[in-house]
Coordinates of all heavy atoms in Angstrom, one line a residue:
R28 N 6.8 14.9 -15.0 CA 7.1 16.4 -15.2 C 8.6 16.6 -15.5 O 9.0 17.3 -16.4 CB 6.8 17.1 -13.9 CG 5.9 18.3 -14.2 CD 5.4 19.0 -13.0 NE 4.5 18.2 -12.2 CZ 4.4 18.2 -10.9 NH1 5.3 18.9 -10.2 NH2 3.6 17.4 -10.2
F29 N 9.4 15.7 -14.9 CA 10.9 15.8 -15.1 C 11.2 15.5 -16.6 O 12.0 16.2 -17.2 CB 11.6 14.8 -14.2 CG 13.1 14.9 -14.3 CD1 13.8 15.9 -13.8 CD2 13.7 13.8 -15.0 CE1 15.2 15.9 -13.9 CE2 15.1 13.8 -15.1 CZ 15.9 14.9 -14.6
C30 N 10.5 14.5 -17.1 CA 10.8 14.1 -18.5 C 10.2 15.1 -19.5 O 10.8 15.4 -20.5 CB 10.2 12.7 -18.8 SG 11.0 11.5 -17.8
A31 N 9.0 15.6 -19.1 CA 8.3 16.5 -20.1 C 9.0 17.8 -20.2 O 9.0 18.4 -21.3 CB 6.9 16.7 -19.6
D32 N 9.6 18.3 -19.1 CA 10.3 19.5 -19.2 C 11.6 19.4 -20.0 O 12.5 18.7 -19.6 CB 10.6 20.0 -17.7 CG 11.1 21.4 -17.7 OD1 11.2 22.0 -18.8 OD2 11.5 21.9 -16.6
K33 N 11.5 20.1 -21.1 CA 12.7 19.9 -22.0 C 13.8 20.9 -21.8 O 14.8 21.0 -22.6 CB 12.2 19.9 -23.4 CG 11.3 18.7 -23.8 CD 10.7 18.8 -25.1 CE 9.6 17.7 -25.2 NZ 8.4 18.1 -24.5
K34 N 13.7 21.6 -20.7 CA 14.7 22.5 -20.4 C 16.0 21.7 -20.0 O 15.9 20.7 -19.3 CB 14.3 23.4 -19.2 CG 13.7 24.7 -19.6 CD 13.5 25.6 -18.4 CE 12.3 26.5 -18.6 NZ 11.8 27.0 -17.4
R35 N 17.2 22.1 -20.3 CA 18.5 21.5 -20.0 C 18.4 20.0 -20.3 O 18.8 19.1 -19.5 CB 18.8 21.7 -18.5 CG 19.0 23.1 -18.2 CD 19.5 23.4 -16.8 NE 19.0 24.6 -16.3 CZ 18.1 24.7 -15.3 NH1 17.7 23.6 -14.7 NH2 17.7 25.8 -14.8
L36 N 18.0 19.7 -21.5 CA 17.8 18.3 -21.9 C 19.2 17.6 -21.9 O 19.3 16.5 -21.3 CB 17.2 18.3 -23.3 CG 16.7 16.9 -23.8 CD1 15.6 16.4 -22.8 CD2 16.1 17.0 -25.2
P37 N 20.3 18.1 -22.5 CA 21.6 17.4 -22.5 C 22.1 17.1 -21.1 O 22.6 16.0 -20.8 CB 22.5 18.4 -23.2 CG 21.7 19.3 -23.9 CD 20.4 19.4 -23.2
L38 N 21.9 18.0 -20.2 CA 22.4 17.8 -18.8 C 21.6 16.7 -18.2 O 22.2 15.8 -17.5 CB 22.2 19.1 -18.0 CG 22.7 19.1 -16.6 CD1 24.2 19.1 -16.6 CD2 22.2 20.3 -15.8
K39 N 20.3 16.6 -18.5 CA 19.5 15.6 -17.9 C 20.0 14.2 -18.4 O 20.1 13.2 -17.6 CB 18.0 15.8 -18.2 CG 17.3 16.7 -17.3 CD 15.9 16.7 -17.7 CE 15.2 18.0 -17.3 NZ 13.9 18.1 -17.9
I40 N 20.2 14.1 -19.7 CA 20.6 12.8 -20.3 C 22.0 12.4 -19.6 O 22.2 11.3 -19.2 CB 20.7 12.9 -21.8 CG1 19.3 13.2 -22.4 CG2 21.3 11.7 -22.4 CD1 19.3 13.4 -23.9
S41 N 22.9 13.4 -19.5 CA 24.2 13.1 -18.9 C 24.0 12.6 -17.5 O 24.7 11.6 -17.1 CB 25.1 14.3 -18.9 OG 25.1 14.9 -20.2
L42 N 23.2 13.3 -16.8 CA 23.0 12.9 -15.4 C 22.4 11.4 -15.3 O 22.9 10.6 -14.5 CB 22.0 13.8 -14.7 CG 22.6 15.1 -14.1 CD1 21.5 16.0 -13.5 CD2 23.6 14.7 -13.0
I43 N 21.4 11.1 -16.1 CA 20.8 9.8 -16.1 C 21.9 8.8 -16.4 O 22.1 7.7 -15.8 CB 19.7 9.7 -17.1 CG1 18.5 10.6 -16.7 CG2 19.2 8.2 -17.3 CD1 17.4 10.7 -17.7
Y44 N 22.8 9.1 -17.4 CA 23.8 8.2 -17.9 C 24.8 8.0 -16.7 O 25.2 6.8 -16.4 CB 24.5 8.8 -19.1 CG 25.6 7.9 -19.7 CD1 25.2 6.7 -20.3 CD2 26.9 8.2 -19.5 CE1 26.2 5.9 -20.9 CE2 27.9 7.3 -20.0 CZ 27.5 6.2 -20.7 OH 28.5 5.4 -21.2
A45 N 25.2 9.1 -16.1 CA 26.2 9.0 -15.0 C 25.6 8.2 -13.8 O 26.3 7.3 -13.3 CB 26.6 10.4 -14.5
L46 N 24.4 8.4 -13.5 CA 23.7 7.7 -12.4 C 23.7 6.2 -12.7 O 24.0 5.3 -11.8 CB 22.3 8.2 -12.2 CG 21.6 7.8 -11.0 CD1 22.2 8.4 -9.7 CD2 20.1 8.1 -11.1
F47 N 23.3 5.9 -13.9 CA 23.2 4.5 -14.3 C 24.6 3.8 -14.2 O 24.8 2.7 -13.7 CB 22.7 4.4 -15.8 CG 22.7 3.0 -16.3 CD1 21.7 2.1 -15.9 CD2 23.6 2.7 -17.3 CE1 21.7 0.8 -16.4 CE2 23.6 1.4 -17.8 CZ 22.7 0.5 -17.4
G48 N 25.7 4.5 -14.7 CA 27.1 4.0 -14.7 C 27.5 3.7 -13.2 O 28.0 2.6 -13.0
V49 N 27.3 4.7 -12.3 CA 27.8 4.5 -10.9 C 27.1 3.3 -10.3 O 27.7 2.4 -9.7 CB 27.5 5.8 -10.1 CG1 27.7 5.6 -8.7 CG2 28.4 6.9 -10.7
L50 N 25.7 3.3 -10.5 CA 24.9 2.2 -9.9 C 25.4 0.8 -10.5 O 25.6 -0.2 -9.7 CB 23.5 2.3 -10.3 CG 22.7 3.3 -9.4 CD1 21.3 3.5 -9.9 CD2 22.6 2.7 -8.0
W51 N 25.7 0.8 -11.8 CA 26.1 -0.4 -12.4 C 27.5 -0.9 -11.8 O 27.6 -2.0 -11.5 CB 26.3 -0.2 -13.9 CG 26.7 -1.4 -14.7 CD1 28.0 -1.7 -15.1 CD2 25.9 -2.5 -15.0 NE1 28.0 -2.8 -15.7 CE2 26.8 -3.4 -15.7 CE3 24.6 -2.8 -14.8 CZ2 26.3 -4.6 -16.2 CZ3 24.2 -4.0 -15.4 CH2 25.0 -4.9 -16.0
I52 N 28.4 0.1 -11.7 CA 29.8 -0.3 -11.1 C 29.6 -0.9 -9.8 O 30.1 -2.0 -9.5 CB 30.7 0.9 -11.1 CG1 31.0 1.3 -12.6 CG2 32.0 0.6 -10.3 CD1 31.7 2.6 -12.7
F53 N 28.8 -0.2 -8.9 CA 28.7 -0.7 -7.5 C 28.0 -2.1 -7.5 O 28.5 -3.1 -6.9 CB 27.9 0.3 -6.6 CG 28.8 1.4 -6.1 CD1 28.5 2.7 -6.4 CD2 29.9 1.1 -5.3 CE1 29.3 3.7 -5.9 CE2 30.7 2.1 -4.9 CZ 30.4 3.4 -5.2
L54 N 26.9 -2.1 -8.1 CA 26.1 -3.3 -8.0 C 26.8 -4.5 -8.7 O 26.8 -5.6 -8.1 CB 24.7 -3.1 -8.7 CG 23.8 -2.2 -7.9 CD1 22.5 -1.9 -8.7 CD2 23.4 -2.8 -6.5
S55 N 27.3 -4.3 -9.9 CA 27.9 -5.4 -10.7 C 29.1 -5.9 -9.9 O 29.3 -7.2 -9.9 CB 28.2 -5.0 -12.1 OG 29.1 -3.9 -12.0

Side-chain angles (χ1 to χ4, degrees):
R28 229 173 296 145
F29 180 75
C30 294
D32 188 0
K33 292 176 193 73
K34 266 189 208 157
R35 297 190 212 109
L36 193 61
L38 185 70
K39 277 186 204 169
I40 295 175
S41 312
L42 274 177
I43 294 171
Y44 183 72
L46 190 72
F47 176 72
V49 170
L50 277 175
W51 180 260
I52 290 167
F53 278 121
L54 289 176
S55 59

